[in-house]
Amino acid sequence: GAGVSQSPSNKVTEKGKDVELRCDPISGHTALYWYRQSLGQGLEFLIYFQGNSAPDKSGLPSDRFSAERTGGSVSTLTIQRTQQEDSAVYLCASSLKSSSSYNEQFFGPGTRLTVL
Amino acid sequence: AQSVTQPDIHITVSEGASLELRCNYSYGATPYLFWYVQSPGQGLQLLLKYFSGDTLVQGIKGFEAEFKRSQSSFNLRKPSVHWSDAAEYFCAVGLMDTGRRALTFGSGTRLQVQP
């Protein structure tokens, strides 16, 4: 079946503009994660959605970052007033409900964001 | 806070040679341990994971990893590397005693394979 998809694959924007990044998780996966991968860095957790529970936003680096998940499926990560340090690859992952164990997280190909 | 260290940023091996990628974690309890591989332009793919039990775990593509509690390590190994193994490898840990299910990743090791 289809894996996790993300769009756009590449996004170039000017400093100060807002951007929206989209993630379509695997059908049936109730958990959804956003990570950020900066050049030469590992993956940095941003936000986690699990079903209808309140999201874990503890990884968001500033209030310019927000995310929502509509209908328990598609998620959008929004970055307002982008800064050059926001340039990175933004990865989305999904997994089955993980209340009692760690289920495998399936990653999308990512969105490469470049802020000029 | 927990942390994951991959001390080797870049490793080059010859095709057919053995491989060991190092991973150390810092956490009071035994976390859940993972190795992911990221090929150029691709998302991350899970190679193997350790939750409990046998400390030597087998994964896909001929990889294995050994959990050593005394050394807080979870090193990835492969007896004979293939050119297609050239990629970036990430070690990650997860914690069950928090509500979070997100993973903490190391900074990665880039593997180059020479013919």
Side-chain angles (χ1 to χ4, degrees):
Chain A
V4 178
S5 61
Q6 293 185 244
S7 61
S9 55
N10 280 284
K11 176 71 176 179
V12 179
T13 190
E14 294 179 348
K15 178 181 173 181
K17 301 277 187 163
D18 298 351
V19 296
E20 285 189 350
L21 312 179
R22 177 187 169 103
C23 172
D24 281 274
I26 293 172
S27 177
H29 281 190
T30 57
L32 187 147
Y33 314 77
W34 283 98
Y35 294 89
R36 178 169 69 176
Q37 184 177 22
S38 303
L39 186 63
Q41 303 291 317
L43 278 74
E44 171 191 14
F45 164 72
L46 296 177
I47 188 168
Y48 160 60
F49 295 90
Q50 171 60 65
N52 295 322
S53 302
D56 176 356
K57 304 179 181 180
S58 60
L60 295 178
S62 78
D63 59 8
R64 296 186 296 105
F65 288 73
S66 63
E68 62 178 20
R69 189 178 184 191
T70 54
S73 181
V74 172
S75 177
T76 302
L77 177 69
T78 301
I79 309 174
Q80 296 178 309
R81 305 180 304 280
T82 53
Q83 303 294 313
Q84 288 183 332
E85 61 262 29
D86 299 334
S87 296
V89 176
Y90 289 82
L91 291 164
C92 175
S94 70
S95 72
L96 293 169
K97 182 178 180 180
S98 55
S99 60
S100 59
S101 179
Y102 269 91
N103 288 308
E104 178 179 351
Q105 294 182 24
F106 293 83
F107 284 80
T111 294
R112 181 174 297 278
L113 174 66
T114 302
V115 182
L116 302 177
Chain B
Q2 72 275 14
S3 65
V4 182
T5 302
Q6 294 181 246
D8 303 305
I9 298 173
H10 188 199
I11 283 183
T12 300
V13 300
S14 298
E15 190 168 16
S18 63
L19 171 71
E20 182 169 25
L21 302 182
R22 296 182 290 165
C23 173
N24 293 92
Y25 65 90
S26 172
Y27 185 64
T30 299
Y32 291 75
L33 298 159
F34 306 81
W35 274 99
Y36 280 85
V37 60
Q38 185 178 35
S39 299
Q42 304 293 314
L44 276 75
Q45 181 182 22
L46 180 67
L47 286 175
L48 45 77
K49 60 188 178 186
Y50 173 77
F51 286 1
S52 63
D54 192 346
T55 57
L56 184 64
V57 294
Q58 302 297 319
I60 62 172
K61 304 184 179 185
F63 285 92
E64 66 178 26
E66 185 172 13
F67 169 60
K68 293 185 177 179
R69 183 189 306 273
S70 61
Q71 299 176 17
S72 297
S73 69
F74 188 56
N75 294 348
L76 181 71
R77 301 194 295 246
K78 187 170 184 178
S80 178
V81 170
H82 187 263
W83 64 267
S84 60
D85 293 325
E88 188 146 23
Y89 293 79
F90 292 94
C91 181
V93 304
L95 305 173
M96 277 301 295
D97 59 353
T98 68
R100 174 189 292 191
R101 291 294 176 266
L103 301 174
T104 299
F105 286 83
S107 55
T109 296
R110 183 167 297 279
L111 174 65
Q112 185 174 355
V113 181
Q114 289 183 332

